[in-house]
Amino acid sequence: MNPPLEPPPQGLLASVRAVSREPEPEREGQRWGFGAFLLVEAVFILSAVFITAIATTSGADLSTSMSFLLIGSMLPTVLAAVVAVVITYVRGNGPLIDLRLGWDWADVKVGLKLGALGILLTYVAATVWARVVGDKNATSAIGELVDGTTMPVSAAVVMFLYVCFVGPVCEELIYRGLLWGAIERQGWSRWAAFLLTTLIFAASHLEPLRTSLLIVVALPIGIARLITRRLTASVVAHVVNNFLPGLTVLLIALGVMPS
């Protein structure tokens, strides 16, 4: 079993400076690596393709069918995260150890601080980005789905819960949990894991126009994982960072806010 992780030094800058560039200690009992991450990504992509194929075969309009809109938006990510967790049980020590899901209130505080910083960075970056590419090209994939669509209250609430809570948890399990662990297993440093997971996280959203913006969004989330060495902080930071976009999606879907 891996030894308990030491708490980060006081102060954000001090914590970042204290991150070692040396390889991480060997992950005992972990028998999965990059292959596990590739399998999880395959599950994500293939399930999305499968859902789209079913919708097309059934003659459903993907832009107006509420069922397919919700299923297609949420199910691939949830399935991928479930597979990631199962892999840690089958080929490792379980998610608590392998994905660094240990609980510490100090991590929650770090996540809240960096999540708040992330909101500020996201706002500034999104404002600049909208001016560069135009408002019509600056929306996210989910934003485009609900644009001009008035959802039933129940569907809008489900989408809000997914964007703010379920989605962030699943994505953290996949990228700063499974992928991060696969990188560390190669004997690379936490800095290497931070940089690679940030880039791959941004690219994996399959929104080429917004990749650079997603990198900015991912930086505070990755830093939370980097300095605490646990997933709890990055999950909290991701949830906080997604709250305002999720609320916006909810209000637009309900027709309260113009798209």
Side-chain angles (χ1 to χ4, degrees):
M1 181 176 294
N2 296 300
L5 302 178
E6 296 179 0
Q10 294 297 316
L12 177 59
L13 293 178
S15 299
V16 172
R17 281 199 220 77
V19 175
S20 172
R21 296 181 182 275
E22 297 299 317
E24 287 295 284
E26 183 178 351
R27 285 170 160 251
E28 297 179 7
Q30 177 182 319
R31 292 172 289 119
W32 53 266
F34 283 116
F37 173 72
L38 293 176
L39 173 61
V40 166
E41 284 294 284
V43 169
F44 172 78
I45 294 172
L46 292 176
S47 59
V49 170
F50 183 69
I51 292 168
T52 302
I54 291 178
T56 303
T57 303
S58 64
D61 185 347
L62 292 176
S63 62
T64 58
S65 172
M66 198 58 56
S67 297
F68 280 112
L69 189 153
L70 292 175
I71 294 172
S73 300
M74 297 182 287
L75 188 59
T77 304
V78 173
L79 282 178
V82 169
V83 172
V85 170
V86 170
I87 287 172
T88 65
Y89 279 117
V90 175
R91 300 282 298 171
N93 308 290
L96 292 180
I97 295 175
D98 285 2
L99 302 184
R100 301 295 192 257
L101 275 172
W103 179 267
D104 192 317
W105 280 108
D107 294 347
V108 176
K109 294 178 182 178
V110 170
L112 290 172
K113 291 177 182 178
L114 284 165
L117 176 61
I119 290 176
L120 177 60
L121 286 178
T122 300
Y123 174 78
V124 173
T127 301
V128 173
W129 188 242
R131 292 181 179 178
V132 172
V133 303
D135 292 336
K136 291 184 178 180
N137 295 320
T139 56
S140 66
I142 289 182
E144 290 178 357
L145 285 174
V146 301
D147 187 19
T149 303
T150 301
M151 287 184 171
V153 174
S154 58
V157 170
V158 169
M159 183 65 77
F160 168 75
L161 293 175
Y162 173 76
V163 172
C164 290
F165 301 103
V166 178
V169 171
C170 291
E171 289 181 348
E172 290 307 301
L173 289 172
I174 295 168
Y175 296 101
R176 276 160 284 267
L178 195 76
L179 177 58
W180 193 295
I183 294 169
E184 284 188 344
R185 187 171 185 250
Q186 301 303 308
W188 299 350
S189 70
R190 275 188 282 164
W191 280 108
F194 165 70
L195 291 173
L196 285 174
T197 54
T198 298
L199 295 175
I200 294 173
F201 169 82
S204 68
H205 282 71
L206 305 178
E207 300 176 54
L209 192 61
R210 297 180 69 246
T211 298
S212 57
L213 175 59
L214 287 167
I215 290 174
V216 175
V217 172
L219 287 175
I221 301 171
I223 290 174
R225 174 68 171 84
L226 178 73
I227 63 178
T228 64
R229 302 175 71 182
R230 285 179 289 267
L231 202 61
T232 305
S234 63
V235 169
V236 173
H238 202 153
V239 167
V240 172
N241 189 72
N242 275 29
F243 179 76
L244 289 182
L247 182 61
T248 300
V249 168
L250 174 64
L251 295 177
I252 290 174
L254 292 175
V256 176
M257 178 183 292
S259 58

